[in-house]
Amino acid sequence: MNEVLDRLRGRLVVSCQAYPGEPLRDPDSMRRMALAALHGGAAGIRAQGLDDLRLIRESVDVPIIGLWKDGAEGVYITPTADHAVAVAGTGADVVAFDATGRKRPDGRPIEDTVAAIHAVGRLAMADVSALEEGVRAVELGADVVGTTLSGYTVLGPKPIGPDLDLVEALVAAVPVPVIAEGRIHTPRQAADAMGRGAHSVVVGTAITHPTTITCWFADAVNG
């Protein structure tokens, strides 16, 4: 499975996800979004939901980072070992899961999720919000760490830009690839993340969420 990470080294991964109730919230729309991203030069896809992942897997031969969002608050990104095994069953190469220090819905420790992912021959990606969480996840066997949840687990407003300091700190602290993800909204920010040592960069909203992109422009035009 190291070949999967080698294929993503120094490359862009595009996150193809839509929120419930949105016009694009169906598996085929996300499949088409993934294909469009690949046409633009993406080297991998990150997607959520079992149906989405199965359909995308049937259509692409690039590495897929898969997850299952179950719920809307707390730990809901692949929140249990059972969720992780189900994601692996879709053909996703890497299973992303919430590796923060928050209580998990099934009460089981993170290492159970990592072990379940490895038992079915997939790579485990720890989505973290802080340096300590990333270090701990690697100690428990995570194969790759993502900065996905930085700014999303504490009270108060979200930071405006990506947490590049966390990217750099994780790169210095762990012996596994670090993927920069979260609020990367411009090509310059993506390049800066690579300059901080990221193995690869995941971009979602700025590429695949037209509602948000439209809001950015509408706000600018409306003053």
Side-chain angles (χ1 to χ4, degrees):
M1 291 297 289
N2 286 336
E3 178 187 352
V4 171
L5 295 178
D6 286 343
R7 292 175 67 186
L8 297 180
R9 186 187 306 275
R11 304 293 301 280
L12 172 68
V13 177
V14 172
S15 180
C16 300
Q17 303 180 43
Y19 297 105
E22 293 184 337
L24 296 180
R25 181 48 271 153
D26 72 84
D28 192 58
S29 292
M30 293 300 99
R31 178 187 71 86
R32 291 171 181 270
M33 191 74 79
L35 291 173
L38 295 180
H39 285 185
I45 299 296
R46 177 169 166 127
Q48 85 85 24
L50 303 183
D51 291 339
D52 292 35
L53 288 165
R54 290 190 192 99
L55 199 57
I56 293 171
R57 178 76 289 167
E58 291 173 1
S59 302
V60 308
D61 62 0
V62 299
I64 295 177
I65 300 172
L67 58 138
W68 178 0
K69 289 182 177 177
D70 191 3
E73 59 184 22
V75 176
Y76 64 88
I77 295 179
T78 320
T80 71
D82 290 341
H83 285 81
V85 171
V87 170
T90 68
D93 304 284
V94 182
V95 179
F97 66 97
D98 184 316
T100 64
R102 298 175 294 178
K103 183 178 180 181
R104 305 175 71 76
D106 61 356
R108 295 168 65 183
I110 289 173
E111 52 262 44
D112 284 4
T113 294
V114 175
I117 294 169
H118 287 164
V120 292
R122 298 294 189 264
L123 296 174
M125 176 175 172
D127 286 350
V128 304
S129 67
L131 175 61
E132 296 78 9
E133 293 168 348
V135 171
R136 179 61 173 159
V138 173
E139 291 174 346
L140 297 176
D143 304 289
V144 57
V145 176
T147 58
T148 318
L149 292 172
S150 174
Y152 293 96
T153 62
V154 296
L155 297 177
K158 298 174 187 175
I160 295 175
D163 192 344
L164 299 183
D165 288 342
L166 178 57
V167 172
E168 188 170 17
L170 283 167
V171 169
V174 300
V176 303
V178 174
I179 294 181
E181 181 174 8
R183 301 181 302 278
I184 298 173
H185 292 163
T186 69
R188 179 70 263 168
Q189 290 172 338
D192 287 346
M194 294 304 301
R196 297 289 192 104
H199 182 85
S200 57
V201 174
V202 174
V203 177
T205 298
I207 296 176
T208 61
H209 198 248
T211 299
T212 298
I213 299 168
T214 302
C215 284
W216 292 343
F217 282 90
D219 289 347
V221 169
N222 297 336

